[in-house]
Amino acid sequence: MENSYETMEQLEVLQKSLKADCGNCAALCCVGLSFMASADFAFDKAAGMPCPNLQSDFRCGIHEDLRRSGFKGCTVFDCYGSGQKVVQVTFQEKDWRSDADTAKEMFAVFPIMTQLHEMMWYLADAMKQEAAPLLQKELADLLSKTEQLTSLEPEKLKILDVPAHRAQVNELLVKVSEAVRSDAIKRHKGRKSKALNRRNADLMGADLKGADLKGVDFRGAYFIAANLRQTDMRTTDVIGADFRDADISGADLSTSLYLTQVQVNAAIGDCLTKLPSSIARPAYWAKKPRIF
Ligand code: SF4
């Protein structure tokens, strides 16, 4: 299979495209998704119902005040660029407001496309790792295959076996993670292997300030409101970890594996937090070092 992403630059460009571009979308997330009243969203909203804050030009009427108005979740969410893909490519700029059938189709395809784009993000991240050269071909093939799936017609997308494809992707991501972390483990002899396996760990509110966490497998861990200030999280696997309100001020996540924009958006950070080049620093983070 042809590999169209051979260089680090090409992979960086790909990851940049796997981010929300609201100007080229039609507010699919503000309509298609359901929300429950919580700290993230001020009221209940059913799937398929336009948010009352949505304007006729598909822009958010309270965009500048989302956090102050109780819509923090809207500043955290990122569709991995699936919104613009569904609108521009899959439905070729059809307007979901034009007829109910189009709307139904678009909102059915949107979460499927989001999952495919998320998988592409992870595969691109895996391909950027130099520790797994023997897996590059397999990764490139799976990335191409996943990208091809994003071009399917709505009817085919709707019946796609996403869990089966995800399982295939996941198997490869785990192999890359092991290769990346085994390097870190060797450099830190003396650490017990148990300490390096914190999959699905419940670390809600934990105080890990300043900890050396390099090479730890934090797959699916719960860091909600944890103190991760000044931690060293290089080469940690954080796929699926929940960073809501985790404080990563001054922490080093510059080479954290499978870190996403959504995770970073959900965390609290400052100007000293180190992030991978593919992740943007949230505008609402502290511009000065936070004092502890
Ligand atoms: S508050 Fe704004 S960004 Fe959030 S769902 Fe409503 S229109 Fe969209």
Side-chain angles (χ1 to χ4, degrees):
M1 202 171 286
E2 197 182 324
N3 176 12
S4 25
Y5 304 107
E6 287 170 344
T7 65
M8 194 68 84
E9 289 72 28
Q10 286 170 328
L11 290 165
E12 290 277 344
V13 170
L14 170 65
Q15 284 192 307
K16 280 203 174 81
S17 75
L18 296 171
K19 289 194 177 182
D21 177 5
C22 303
N24 282 308
C25 184
L28 298 192
C29 60
C30 305
V31 185
L33 305 182
S34 64
F35 300 113
M36 277 171 57
S38 64
D40 286 331
F41 205 79
F43 42 69
D44 289 334
K45 187 192 89 56
M49 190 186 95
C51 172
N53 296 321
L54 186 63
Q55 300 176 158
S56 57
D57 60 357
F58 296 128
R59 290 178 189 275
C60 172
I62 57 166
H63 181 70
E64 301 303 325
D65 288 309
L66 282 166
R67 291 205 150 220
R68 280 192 297 268
S69 308
F71 296 88
K72 189 168 81 170
C74 300
T75 66
V76 170
F77 180 76
D78 191 293
C79 68
Y80 296 93
S82 65
Q84 63 260 30
K85 181 72 144 290
V86 169
V87 170
Q88 303 286 335
V89 180
T90 319
F91 287 87
Q92 301 182 354
E93 299 189 45
K94 271 193 206 162
D95 188 339
W96 53 262
R97 294 172 298 194
S98 59
D99 74 283
D101 287 343
T102 301
K104 203 172 160 197
E105 292 267 288
M106 274 181 138
F107 299 135
V109 163
F110 176 49
I112 295 164
M113 189 69 81
T114 304
Q115 291 185 68
L116 293 173
H117 274 217
E118 182 187 19
M119 286 183 242
M120 286 177 66
W121 172 277
Y122 291 140
L123 287 165
D125 220 31
M127 283 185 72
K128 284 160 66 180
Q129 308 305 319
E130 290 171 0
L134 298 178
L135 296 170
Q136 284 295 316
K137 166 99 178 56
E138 248 183 290
L139 286 165
D141 286 351
L142 204 45
L143 177 57
S144 295
K145 186 177 167 190
T146 310
E147 190 168 31
Q148 282 169 17
L149 293 176
T150 68
S151 301
L152 289 174
E153 291 163 2
E155 284 312 315
K156 290 188 176 156
L157 277 166
K158 281 196 302 185
I159 56 167
L160 193 65
D161 190 348
V162 178
H165 189 69
R166 187 180 279 281
Q168 212 184 338
V169 170
N170 192 43
E171 196 180 325
L172 209 43
L173 297 182
V174 169
K175 283 185 192 170
V176 173
S177 171
E178 282 164 1
V180 170
R181 292 182 305 100
S182 73
D183 236 33
I185 293 162
K186 277 182 216 149
R187 284 202 303 272
H188 290 83
K189 284 179 190 158
R191 290 178 94 179
K192 290 184 183 138
S193 59
K194 204 175 160 196
L196 294 166
N197 181 0
R198 303 303 310 274
R199 283 189 178 197
N200 304 313
D202 181 354
L203 296 166
M204 287 195 252
D207 187 0
L208 296 167
K209 184 182 172 188
D212 177 359
L213 304 172
K214 286 198 292 292
V216 179
D217 183 354
F218 280 122
R219 253 178 182 252
Y222 296 91
F223 288 125
I224 300 168
N227 180 358
L228 298 171
R229 296 169 189 164
Q230 295 163 327
T231 49
D232 189 345
M233 296 187 78
R234 287 175 291 167
T235 66
T236 51
D237 181 344
V238 293
I239 197 165
D242 192 335
F243 279 87
R244 275 176 294 165
D245 294 327
D247 190 345
I248 53 173
S249 301
D252 189 348
L253 291 94
S254 57
T255 56
S256 292
L257 193 56
Y258 309 137
L259 184 70
T260 67
Q261 191 67 55
V262 177
Q263 288 170 314
V264 169
N265 290 350
I268 300 163
D270 67 5
C271 61
L272 297 181
T273 308
K274 290 185 183 156
L275 298 169
S277 54
S278 52
I279 302 280
R281 189 174 301 274
Y284 42 83
W285 275 12
K287 305 284 184 288
K288 291 182 180 168
R290 297 181 69 228
I291 297 167
F292 313 125

